[in-house]
Amino acid sequence: GAIAVFFIISRLFGILPGFLSGLGLSFSIREQLMYIFGQQPTVVSLAITPVTIYAWHKYLTSYYEDGNGGRRIYLFMAGALLAAQYLLHIQGFLGSAIIIAVLTAALAIRFRKLPAAKNNFKMLALAAIAFAVVAAPFLRIYVGTGGEELKLELNPEKLGGWGITPAQVMGNFPEGSVKFSAEYPGILPVFLFAGIALLLLRTFLVKNNTKEIFMLSWLIGIYIILHFDAITASGHARLARMLILENHLFYALIALSVVWLPATIGTILNSIGRADAQRRLNRLWFNKAIPTTAKYFLAAVLAFTLISTAGAQTQDRLKAAYSDVTRITPLQAGFAQEVLSKLPEKAFVYDTILPG
Protein backbone atom coordinates (compact mmCIF):
# COMPACT_ATOMS: atom_id res chain seq x y z
CA GLY A 1 0.00 0.00 0.00
CA ALA A 2 2.81 2.41 0.90
CA ILE A 3 4.61 1.68 -2.38
CA ALA A 4 1.43 2.01 -4.47
CA VAL A 5 0.52 5.39 -2.97
CA PHE A 6 4.13 6.61 -3.23
CA PHE A 7 4.10 5.68 -6.91
CA ILE A 8 0.94 7.52 -7.93
CA ILE A 9 1.37 10.59 -5.69
CA SER A 10 4.97 11.10 -6.82
CA ARG A 11 3.87 10.71 -10.45
CA LEU A 12 1.05 13.22 -10.04
CA PHE A 13 2.43 15.75 -7.55
CA GLY A 14 6.15 15.12 -7.00
CA ILE A 15 8.60 13.09 -4.95
CA LEU A 16 8.19 14.99 -1.66
CA PRO A 17 4.44 14.34 -1.12
CA GLY A 18 4.92 10.83 -2.48
CA PHE A 19 7.63 10.12 0.11
CA LEU A 20 5.57 11.58 2.97
CA SER A 21 2.52 9.54 1.91
CA GLY A 22 4.52 6.32 1.90
CA LEU A 23 6.15 7.21 5.21
CA GLY A 24 2.77 7.64 6.89
CA LEU A 25 1.44 4.37 5.50
CA SER A 26 4.57 2.52 6.64
CA PHE A 27 3.47 3.21 10.23
CA SER A 28 -0.23 2.49 9.65
CA ILE A 29 -1.59 -0.01 12.19
CA ARG A 30 -4.30 -1.03 9.72
CA GLU A 31 -1.79 -2.03 7.05
CA GLN A 32 0.22 -3.98 9.65
CA LEU A 33 -2.74 -5.79 11.21
CA MET A 34 -4.18 -6.95 7.89
CA TYR A 35 -0.88 -8.68 7.17
CA ILE A 36 -0.50 -10.08 10.69
CA PHE A 37 -4.03 -11.48 10.51
CA GLY A 38 -2.89 -13.58 7.55
CA GLN A 39 -5.21 -11.84 5.08
CA GLN A 40 -2.60 -11.38 2.38
CA PRO A 41 -5.00 -11.80 -0.60
CA THR A 42 -7.21 -9.06 0.86
CA VAL A 43 -4.18 -6.84 1.51
CA VAL A 44 -2.91 -7.23 -2.04
CA SER A 45 -6.36 -6.65 -3.55
CA LEU A 46 -6.81 -3.44 -1.57
CA ALA A 47 -3.22 -2.30 -2.11
CA ILE A 48 -3.69 -2.51 -5.89
CA THR A 49 -6.57 0.01 -5.74
CA PRO A 50 -4.50 3.23 -6.00
CA VAL A 51 -2.66 1.91 -9.07
CA THR A 52 -5.90 0.67 -10.67
CA ILE A 53 -7.67 4.01 -10.37
CA TYR A 54 -4.51 5.83 -11.50
CA ALA A 55 -4.38 3.69 -14.67
CA TRP A 56 -8.04 4.55 -15.38
CA HIS A 57 -7.33 8.23 -14.67
CA LYS A 58 -4.47 8.18 -17.20
CA TYR A 59 -6.75 6.58 -19.79
CA LEU A 60 -9.51 9.16 -19.27
CA THR A 61 -7.16 12.16 -19.35
CA SER A 62 -5.51 10.83 -22.50
CA TYR A 63 -8.99 10.37 -24.01
CA TYR A 64 -10.05 13.93 -23.27
CA GLU A 65 -6.75 15.71 -23.86
CA ASP A 66 -5.16 13.71 -26.70
CA GLY A 67 -8.23 12.43 -28.53
CA ASN A 68 -8.16 9.37 -30.81
CA GLY A 69 -9.92 7.21 -28.23
CA GLY A 70 -7.29 7.63 -25.54
CA ARG A 71 -4.17 5.56 -24.88
CA ARG A 72 -5.33 1.96 -24.82
CA ILE A 73 -2.36 0.74 -22.81
CA TYR A 74 -3.87 2.42 -19.74
CA LEU A 75 -7.25 0.88 -20.51
CA PHE A 76 -5.68 -2.58 -20.70
CA MET A 77 -3.79 -1.97 -17.45
CA ALA A 78 -6.91 -0.84 -15.58
CA GLY A 79 -8.87 -3.85 -16.85
CA ALA A 80 -6.11 -6.33 -15.93
CA LEU A 81 -5.74 -4.85 -12.44
CA LEU A 82 -9.52 -4.93 -11.87
CA ALA A 83 -9.59 -8.60 -12.88
CA ALA A 84 -6.68 -9.35 -10.53
CA GLN A 85 -8.46 -7.60 -7.66
CA TYR A 86 -11.63 -9.58 -8.28
CA LEU A 87 -9.76 -12.89 -8.21
CA LEU A 88 -7.77 -11.91 -5.09
CA HIS A 89 -10.66 -10.46 -3.08
CA ILE A 90 -13.83 -8.70 -4.17
CA GLN A 91 -13.44 -5.89 -1.64
CA GLY A 92 -10.51 -4.41 -3.56
CA PHE A 93 -12.43 -4.82 -6.82
CA LEU A 94 -15.51 -3.05 -5.44
CA GLY A 95 -13.39 -0.24 -4.05
CA SER A 96 -11.73 0.40 -7.41
CA ALA A 97 -14.99 0.05 -9.35
CA ILE A 98 -16.78 2.63 -7.20
CA ILE A 99 -13.94 5.17 -7.36
CA ILE A 100 -13.61 4.62 -11.12
CA ALA A 101 -17.35 5.25 -11.57
CA VAL A 102 -17.14 8.53 -9.61
CA LEU A 103 -14.01 9.62 -11.50
CA THR A 104 -15.60 8.85 -14.87
CA ALA A 105 -18.69 10.89 -14.01
CA ALA A 106 -16.62 13.79 -12.66
CA LEU A 107 -14.38 14.04 -15.74
CA ALA A 108 -17.38 13.66 -18.06
CA ILE A 109 -18.93 16.69 -16.33
CA ARG A 110 -15.61 18.54 -16.42
CA PHE A 111 -15.14 18.05 -20.18
CA ARG A 112 -18.88 17.91 -21.01
CA LYS A 113 -18.37 14.69 -22.93
CA LEU A 114 -18.79 10.98 -22.22
CA PRO A 115 -15.64 8.86 -22.66
CA ALA A 116 -17.23 6.70 -25.35
CA ALA A 117 -15.04 6.16 -28.40
CA LYS A 118 -16.56 4.02 -31.14
CA ASN A 119 -13.26 2.32 -31.91
CA ASN A 120 -13.11 1.06 -28.29
CA PHE A 121 -16.57 -0.54 -28.15
CA LYS A 122 -15.57 -3.87 -29.68
CA MET A 123 -12.53 -4.16 -27.44
CA LEU A 124 -14.57 -3.32 -24.33
CA ALA A 125 -17.25 -5.85 -25.27
CA LEU A 126 -14.68 -8.64 -25.71
CA ALA A 127 -13.01 -7.69 -22.40
CA ALA A 128 -16.39 -7.76 -20.63
CA ILE A 129 -17.17 -11.23 -22.00
CA ALA A 130 -13.74 -12.57 -20.98
CA PHE A 131 -14.12 -11.08 -17.50
CA ALA A 132 -17.64 -12.53 -17.12
CA VAL A 133 -16.40 -16.04 -17.99
CA VAL A 134 -13.65 -15.82 -15.35
CA ALA A 135 -15.80 -14.10 -12.72
CA ALA A 136 -18.97 -16.19 -12.91
CA PRO A 137 -17.72 -19.22 -10.90
CA PHE A 138 -16.82 -16.94 -7.98
CA LEU A 139 -20.02 -14.92 -7.98
CA ARG A 140 -21.94 -17.23 -5.62
CA ILE A 141 -19.10 -17.04 -3.09
CA TYR A 142 -19.37 -13.27 -2.99
CA VAL A 143 -23.16 -12.86 -2.93
CA GLY A 144 -23.69 -15.62 -0.35
CA THR A 145 -23.73 -19.41 -0.01
CA GLY A 146 -25.89 -21.89 1.79
CA GLY A 147 -29.08 -19.93 1.18
CA GLU A 148 -27.66 -16.59 2.38
CA GLU A 149 -28.22 -13.61 0.11
CA LEU A 150 -26.97 -10.05 0.09
CA LYS A 151 -29.66 -8.09 1.95
CA LEU A 152 -30.64 -4.50 1.23
CA GLU A 153 -31.26 -2.64 4.44
CA LEU A 154 -31.69 1.14 4.40
CA ASN A 155 -30.07 2.96 7.34
CA PRO A 156 -30.01 6.63 6.22
CA GLU A 157 -29.01 7.81 9.71
CA LYS A 158 -25.55 6.32 9.11
CA LEU A 159 -24.85 8.64 6.17
CA GLY A 160 -23.77 11.46 8.48
CA GLY A 161 -21.08 9.44 10.26
CA TRP A 162 -17.65 8.23 9.23
CA GLY A 163 -15.73 5.07 9.95
CA ILE A 164 -16.33 2.17 12.32
CA THR A 165 -16.64 2.26 16.11
CA PRO A 166 -14.62 -0.15 18.28
CA ALA A 167 -17.84 -1.71 19.62
CA GLN A 168 -18.86 -2.74 16.08
CA VAL A 169 -15.73 -4.86 15.57
CA MET A 170 -15.10 -6.07 19.11
CA GLY A 171 -13.45 -9.49 19.04
CA ASN A 172 -12.27 -9.09 15.44
CA PHE A 173 -10.09 -5.98 15.46
CA PRO A 174 -8.27 -4.15 18.25
CA GLU A 175 -9.81 -0.85 19.28
CA GLY A 176 -6.94 1.26 17.96
CA SER A 177 -7.25 -0.07 14.42
CA VAL A 178 -10.62 1.61 13.84
CA LYS A 179 -10.35 4.70 16.05
CA PHE A 180 -9.64 7.85 14.04
CA SER A 181 -7.52 9.40 16.81
CA ALA A 182 -5.39 6.25 17.11
CA GLU A 183 -4.69 5.97 13.38
CA TYR A 184 -4.01 9.70 12.96
CA PRO A 185 -2.36 10.80 16.23
CA GLY A 186 -0.92 14.15 17.24
CA ILE A 187 -1.35 17.00 14.77
CA LEU A 188 -2.00 14.72 11.77
CA PRO A 189 -5.73 15.68 11.69
CA VAL A 190 -4.66 19.32 11.18
CA PHE A 191 -2.68 18.33 8.09
CA LEU A 192 -5.57 16.11 6.94
CA PHE A 193 -8.32 18.74 7.22
CA ALA A 194 -5.98 21.29 5.62
CA GLY A 195 -5.43 18.87 2.73
CA ILE A 196 -9.19 18.35 2.24
CA ALA A 197 -9.88 22.11 2.37
CA LEU A 198 -7.04 22.86 -0.06
CA LEU A 199 -8.26 20.11 -2.40
CA LEU A 200 -11.73 21.68 -2.57
CA LEU A 201 -10.23 25.13 -3.07
CA ARG A 202 -7.78 24.05 -5.77
CA THR A 203 -10.51 22.19 -7.67
CA PHE A 204 -12.03 25.61 -8.40
CA LEU A 205 -8.84 27.72 -8.53
CA VAL A 206 -6.55 25.60 -10.73
CA LYS A 207 -7.27 25.84 -14.45
CA ASN A 208 -5.98 22.38 -15.42
CA ASN A 209 -7.59 20.62 -12.47
CA THR A 210 -7.73 16.99 -13.65
CA LYS A 211 -5.36 15.92 -10.85
CA GLU A 212 -7.51 17.65 -8.25
CA ILE A 213 -10.64 16.05 -9.73
CA PHE A 214 -8.89 12.68 -9.45
CA MET A 215 -8.23 13.24 -5.73
CA LEU A 216 -11.75 14.60 -5.11
CA SER A 217 -13.31 11.60 -6.88
CA TRP A 218 -11.14 9.33 -4.75
CA LEU A 219 -12.48 11.07 -1.62
CA ILE A 220 -16.12 10.78 -2.74
CA GLY A 221 -15.59 7.12 -3.65
CA ILE A 222 -14.14 6.37 -0.20
CA TYR A 223 -17.18 8.01 1.40
CA ILE A 224 -19.49 5.74 -0.60
CA ILE A 225 -17.43 2.64 0.22
CA LEU A 226 -17.41 3.32 3.96
CA HIS A 227 -21.18 3.82 3.98
CA PHE A 228 -22.21 0.46 2.56
CA ASP A 229 -23.90 -0.22 5.88
CA ALA A 230 -26.34 2.62 5.12
CA ILE A 231 -27.88 0.61 2.26
CA THR A 232 -27.01 -3.03 3.03
CA ALA A 233 -26.66 -5.33 6.01
CA SER A 234 -22.88 -5.27 5.58
CA GLY A 235 -20.73 -6.86 8.26
CA HIS A 236 -18.76 -4.22 10.10
CA ALA A 237 -15.69 -6.47 10.21
CA ARG A 238 -15.58 -6.35 6.41
CA LEU A 239 -16.08 -2.58 6.38
CA ALA A 240 -13.22 -2.29 8.85
CA ARG A 241 -10.92 -3.88 6.27
CA MET A 242 -11.96 -1.19 3.79
CA LEU A 243 -10.51 1.43 6.13
CA ILE A 244 -7.19 0.62 4.45
CA LEU A 245 -8.57 2.43 1.39
CA GLU A 246 -9.23 5.45 3.61
CA ASN A 247 -5.60 5.32 4.77
CA HIS A 248 -4.29 5.45 1.22
CA LEU A 249 -6.20 8.64 0.49
CA PHE A 250 -5.90 10.35 3.87
CA TYR A 251 -2.13 9.98 4.11
CA ALA A 252 -1.89 11.28 0.55
CA LEU A 253 -3.96 14.35 1.51
CA ILE A 254 -1.90 14.82 4.68
CA ALA A 255 1.27 14.85 2.57
CA LEU A 256 -0.21 17.06 -0.17
CA SER A 257 -1.20 19.74 2.36
CA VAL A 258 2.52 20.40 2.78
CA VAL A 259 3.07 21.33 -0.88
CA TRP A 260 -0.42 22.63 -1.65
CA LEU A 261 -0.46 25.36 1.01
CA PRO A 262 2.40 27.46 -0.45
CA ALA A 263 1.25 26.71 -4.01
CA THR A 264 -2.37 27.69 -3.27
CA ILE A 265 -1.29 30.95 -1.64
CA GLY A 266 0.69 31.69 -4.78
CA THR A 267 -2.31 30.88 -6.99
CA ILE A 268 -4.55 33.19 -4.95
CA LEU A 269 -2.00 36.02 -5.09
CA ASN A 270 -1.62 35.51 -8.81
CA SER A 271 -5.39 35.72 -9.34
CA ILE A 272 -5.75 39.01 -7.46
CA GLY A 273 -5.79 42.29 -9.45
CA ARG A 274 -2.66 43.86 -10.88
CA ALA A 275 -2.12 46.94 -8.72
CA ASP A 276 1.50 47.90 -8.02
CA ALA A 277 1.28 46.85 -4.37
CA GLN A 278 -0.11 43.50 -5.39
CA ARG A 279 2.67 43.03 -7.95
CA ARG A 280 5.27 43.70 -5.26
CA LEU A 281 3.55 41.16 -2.98
CA ASN A 282 3.57 38.62 -5.80
CA ARG A 283 7.26 39.20 -6.49
CA LEU A 284 8.06 38.80 -2.79
CA TRP A 285 6.25 35.47 -2.74
CA PHE A 286 7.43 34.06 -6.06
CA ASN A 287 10.98 35.39 -6.31
CA LYS A 288 12.15 34.78 -2.75
CA ALA A 289 12.64 31.54 -0.88
CA ILE A 290 9.45 31.90 1.19
CA PRO A 291 7.34 29.21 -0.53
CA THR A 292 10.22 26.73 -0.70
CA THR A 293 11.15 27.33 2.94
CA ALA A 294 7.52 26.98 4.02
CA LYS A 295 7.12 23.73 2.10
CA TYR A 296 10.20 22.05 3.56
CA PHE A 297 9.49 23.35 7.06
CA LEU A 298 6.00 21.81 6.96
CA ALA A 299 7.47 18.61 5.49
CA ALA A 300 9.96 18.37 8.37
CA VAL A 301 7.21 18.92 10.95
CA LEU A 302 5.05 16.24 9.32
CA ALA A 303 7.89 13.71 9.05
CA PHE A 304 8.84 14.26 12.70
CA THR A 305 5.19 13.80 13.74
CA LEU A 306 4.83 10.57 11.75
CA ILE A 307 8.00 9.05 13.18
CA SER A 308 7.66 10.25 16.78
CA THR A 309 4.06 9.13 17.22
CA ALA A 310 4.37 5.78 15.46
CA GLY A 311 6.61 3.50 17.50
CA ALA A 312 5.00 3.42 20.94
CA GLN A 313 1.44 3.65 19.60
CA THR A 314 1.99 0.79 17.18
CA GLN A 315 3.52 -1.40 19.90
CA ASP A 316 0.66 -0.70 22.31
CA ARG A 317 -1.97 -1.40 19.69
CA LEU A 318 -0.35 -4.62 18.52
CA LYS A 319 -0.62 -6.00 22.06
CA ALA A 320 -4.38 -6.15 21.52
CA ALA A 321 -4.15 -7.59 18.01
CA TYR A 322 -5.41 -11.01 19.04
CA SER A 323 -8.28 -10.51 21.42
CA ASP A 324 -9.60 -14.07 21.16
CA VAL A 325 -8.82 -17.44 19.57
CA THR A 326 -10.32 -16.49 16.21
CA ARG A 327 -7.04 -14.71 15.33
CA ILE A 328 -3.82 -16.61 16.06
CA THR A 329 -0.32 -16.46 14.60
CA PRO A 330 1.39 -19.39 12.84
CA LEU A 331 3.66 -19.72 15.88
CA GLN A 332 0.65 -20.00 18.20
CA ALA A 333 -1.02 -22.48 15.89
CA GLY A 334 2.11 -24.65 15.78
CA PHE A 335 2.42 -24.59 19.57
CA ALA A 336 -1.24 -25.59 19.99
CA GLN A 337 -0.83 -28.46 17.53
CA GLU A 338 2.25 -29.74 19.35
CA VAL A 339 0.56 -29.56 22.76
CA LEU A 340 -2.59 -31.29 21.54
CA SER A 341 -0.60 -34.10 19.92
CA LYS A 342 0.95 -34.96 23.32
CA LEU A 343 -2.22 -34.81 25.41
CA PRO A 344 -4.50 -37.79 26.15
CA GLU A 345 -7.62 -37.95 24.02
CA LYS A 346 -10.01 -36.88 26.82
CA ALA A 347 -7.68 -34.44 28.57
CA PHE A 348 -9.26 -31.30 30.06
CA VAL A 349 -7.18 -28.16 29.47
CA TYR A 350 -7.88 -25.01 31.43
CA ASP A 351 -6.27 -21.62 32.04
CA THR A 352 -5.48 -20.86 35.67
CA ILE A 353 -5.39 -17.14 34.91
CA LEU A 354 -9.08 -17.00 34.04
CA PRO A 355 -11.43 -16.27 36.99
CA GLY A 356 -13.20 -19.33 38.42
Side-chain angles (χ1 to χ4, degrees), residues 17 33 152 268 280 282 355:
L33 283 178
L152 294 177
I268 293 173
R280 286 196 296 272
N282 289 358

Side-chain angles (χ1 to χ4, degrees), residues 15-349:
I15 291 293
L16 180 61
F19 167 75
L20 292 172
S21 303
L23 182 66
L25 285 166
S26 297
F27 294 119
S28 168
I29 185 65
R30 294 170 185 168
E31 295 270 356
Q32 295 166 6
L33 283 178
M34 288 292 287
Y35 180 80
I36 291 173
F37 283 167
Q39 297 170 339
Q40 286 87 344
T42 310
V43 172
V44 176
S45 182
L46 294 170
I48 290 174
T49 298
V51 185
T52 305
I53 61 177
Y54 173 74
W56 185 255
H57 166 73
K58 291 291 289 183
Y59 167 69
L60 289 180
T61 52
S62 68
Y63 175 86
Y64 287 117
E65 295 173 358
D66 302 340
N68 299 321
R71 298 186 62 183
R72 291 187 177 181
I73 181 63
Y74 293 117
L75 186 60
F76 289 137
M77 289 172 62
L81 289 167
L82 278 170
Q85 287 183 285
Y86 181 88
L87 293 175
L88 283 163
H89 201 283
I90 196 171
Q91 285 184 269
F93 169 81
L94 286 176
S96 292
I98 289 171
I99 297 169
I100 282 174
V102 175
L103 176 61
T104 303
L107 286 178
I109 294 171
R110 163 69 172 79
F111 290 98
R112 298 181 178 85
K113 180 182 178 182
L114 291 173
K118 291 183 179 179
N119 56 346
N120 286 345
F121 283 158
K122 183 183 292 186
M123 178 184 63
L124 288 172
L126 291 173
I129 293 171
F131 178 78
V133 170
V134 174
F138 300 91
L139 189 61
R140 183 167 175 78
I141 297 174
Y142 290 137
V143 299
T145 56
E148 297 179 5
E149 300 295 336
L150 186 64
K151 297 178 181 178
L152 294 177
E153 185 177 292
L154 297 179
N155 300 292
E157 70 278 0
K158 295 183 178 180
L159 292 173
W162 185 277
I164 309 296
T165 65
Q168 291 172 323
V169 292
M170 186 177 297
N172 290 303
F173 290 84
E175 180 179 322
S177 66
V178 295
K179 285 182 66 176
F180 182 88
S181 59
E183 181 63 27
Y184 308 103
I187 61 172
L188 291 186
V190 176
F191 284 97
L192 173 60
F193 296 134
I196 294 173
L198 289 168
L199 171 61
L200 297 174
L201 189 61
R202 288 177 61 86
T203 302
F204 296 99
L205 284 179
V206 178
K207 186 175 181 180
N208 185 14
N209 61 352
T210 54
K211 296 177 183 179
E212 284 73 18
I213 290 175
F214 170 75
M215 297 300 295
L216 184 59
S217 301
W218 195 355
L219 178 61
I220 295 171
I222 295 298
Y223 174 85
I224 295 172
I225 291 165
L226 294 182
H227 287 79
F228 278 156
D229 57 344
I231 58 174
T232 68
S234 300
H236 290 109
R238 294 192 179 277
L239 278 182
R241 296 181 192 174
M242 303 291 267
L243 287 172
I244 287 183
L245 298 180
E246 174 207 275
N247 282 27
H248 295 160
L249 173 65
F250 278 11
Y251 277 109
L253 290 173
I254 287 170
L256 283 169
S257 68
V258 167
V259 295
W260 273 351
L261 184 59
T264 303
I265 292 174
T267 302
I268 293 173
L269 291 176
N270 198 39
S271 64
I272 296 175
R274 295 299 179 180
D276 289 339
Q278 291 161 344
R279 288 198 186 99
R280 286 196 296 272
L281 183 61
N282 289 358
R283 284 197 297 272
L284 176 65
W285 182 261
F286 288 113
N287 298 335
K288 304 294 181 181
I290 294 177
T292 302
T293 303
K295 178 175 69 174
Y296 285 106
F297 172 76
L298 290 172
V301 171
L302 176 56
F304 175 79
T305 302
L306 290 170
I307 295 170
S308 64
T309 59
Q313 294 226 11
T314 299
Q315 193 174 31
D316 290 341
R317 283 176 272 167
L318 287 176
K319 290 178 182 177
Y322 303 101
S323 56
D324 61 25
V325 296
T326 62
R327 305 290 189 187
I328 62 174
T329 64
L331 182 63
Q332 291 169 326
F335 172 76
Q337 185 176 6
E338 182 180 356
V339 170
L340 290 173
S341 66
K342 296 177 180 179
L343 288 174
E345 183 177 351
K346 296 183 179 181
F348 177 73
V349 181

